Amino acid sequence: MYHHISADPARAGDYIVTPEILEGDLRYIAEHGYTAVSVGQILDYCAGRGELPDKPILITFDDGQQSVLTYALPLLEKYDMCAVAAVVGAYCDAEEAAPDRSPEYSYLTWAEVAELAASGRFDIACHTQNMHRDTWPRRGCLPNSGESAEAYAAALNADLDAVEAKIEAAAGYRPTAFAYPFGFHCEQTEALLGERGYELTLTCENHINDLDSGAMDLGRYNRSAYTDRTAFFKLLGIV
C-alpha cells in the first residue's frame, strides 16, 4: 500500500515515498519472481474462472494523488506491472477548480483518473466521495454510535451513488474494488458494499491474504520510507 510520491527526499516518511524508492521496490518485486496482478485477475480466481501466477502481488495507491500519474504510471509501464488507484471523489472534484497544481501536493482531476484507467495499468477503486476523515462527522465510512441501520445505509449509499457515477464517467466502469478510508471497516459496511456489487475490499491490516474465502477485507502492508526495503519485503514473504 502506497500513498503519495514526492521528488523531494526531505518529505519522505510513513506515507510518502520518492520515485527512487518506488522504482527500487518494483525492481525488487520483479527480480524475486513476483507478478503484479489486477483486481480482475483476483476476482476471476476467486470465482473459479482463472488462475493466478505462482507469486501474485497486489500493488495499491490510496487517496488519488497526482503523483501517481506523474511517477507511478511510467514506472509501472517500465516494469510491465499493474496497480490499483483508490480515489476520493471530493478530492478530485476540488482539483477541477484548483488555481495551480503540482504532483507535490495535488490530487487527480477526473480527466487524470480517466488517463490512468485508459493506460490499462490501473484499476480505479472507490475510496468514498466524502468520507475520508478519521473523526467528525464519522470515522471513515463507519456507522456512528446510535445511528440506525436505515440512516447509516442511506448515508453510505448516497455517498457511493455520487462517487461511483463519477468513476464510471471517467473510467468507463463501475468500481468493484473499495478501499476503506483509514482501514476502518465493520460487518455492516461490508454487507452494504456487497449489496452494491463490490467484490474486493482493502483494509489497512497487516497480513498476507488467503483468497480461499474470497477477496473481501484484504490486508495490506503500508510502505513507509523509513523501513529498509529488504526488511519490508520480508514481511510479505519476499526474500
Side-chain angles (χ1 to χ4, degrees):
M1 174 173 57
Y2 297 92
H3 291 80
H4 185 35
I5 309 161
S6 172
D8 181 1
R11 297 190 64 200
D14 280 334
Y15 301 104
I16 301 176
V17 298
T18 62
E20 291 76 19
I21 289 175
L22 177 59
E23 179 164 17
D25 289 353
L26 299 184
R27 185 186 305 113
Y28 192 94
I29 289 168
E31 289 174 348
H32 287 76
Y34 283 75
T35 302
V37 295
S38 67
V39 169
Q41 286 176 283
I42 292 174
L43 296 182
D44 282 347
Y45 172 82
C46 291
R49 296 189 296 262
E51 295 296 325
L52 289 174
D54 289 338
K55 296 180 176 181
I57 187 168
L58 185 66
I59 301 169
T60 68
F61 295 85
D62 277 12
D63 303 342
Q65 263 123 345
Q66 189 190 35
S67 59
V68 174
L69 176 65
T70 303
Y71 300 116
L73 178 56
L75 289 174
L76 291 173
E77 291 173 336
K78 178 177 180 177
Y79 290 92
D80 192 20
M81 294 184 181
C82 58
V84 175
V87 300
V88 180
Y91 295 175
C92 297
D93 293 344
E95 286 298 326
E96 301 297 329
D100 61 274
R101 304 182 66 243
S102 165
E104 285 299 313
Y105 53 77
S106 297
Y107 290 89
L108 295 162
T109 63
W110 287 111
E112 289 166 342
V113 172
E115 188 175 346
L116 283 185
S119 73
R121 297 289 174 180
F122 277 95
D123 292 304
I124 307 303
C126 177
H127 209 23
T128 74
Q129 168 63 23
N130 198 23
M131 290 185 172
H132 196 271
R133 302 181 180 89
D134 60 356
T135 55
W136 186 91
R138 66 177 71 242
R139 295 182 74 232
C141 59
L142 290 176
N144 285 327
S145 177
E147 187 174 28
S148 70
E150 294 77 14
Y152 173 59
L156 181 61
N157 283 326
D159 180 277
L160 296 179
D161 283 343
V163 69
E164 288 169 5
K166 295 169 186 175
I167 291 174
E168 184 172 24
Y173 55 81
R174 288 262 170 169
T176 56
F178 182 90
Y180 289 105
F182 301 97
F184 302 149
H185 64 288
C186 67
E187 291 182 1
Q188 188 177 358
T189 309
E190 182 178 317
L192 289 170
L193 292 173
E195 291 172 7
R196 294 189 69 91
Y198 287 96
E199 300 177 76
L200 185 151
T201 58
L202 300 163
T203 73
C204 297
E205 296 174 356
N206 295 327
H207 64 79
I208 296 172
N209 299 291
D210 180 352
L211 297 176
D212 289 345
S213 57
M216 301 295 271
D217 291 348
L218 297 183
R220 294 186 289 171
Y221 288 86
N222 179 62
R223 178 59 164 116
S224 168
Y226 295 134
T227 307
D228 172 79
R229 178 173 292 112
T230 301
F232 174 74
F233 280 105
K234 279 185 177 179
L235 297 173
L236 282 65
I238 302 177
V239 292

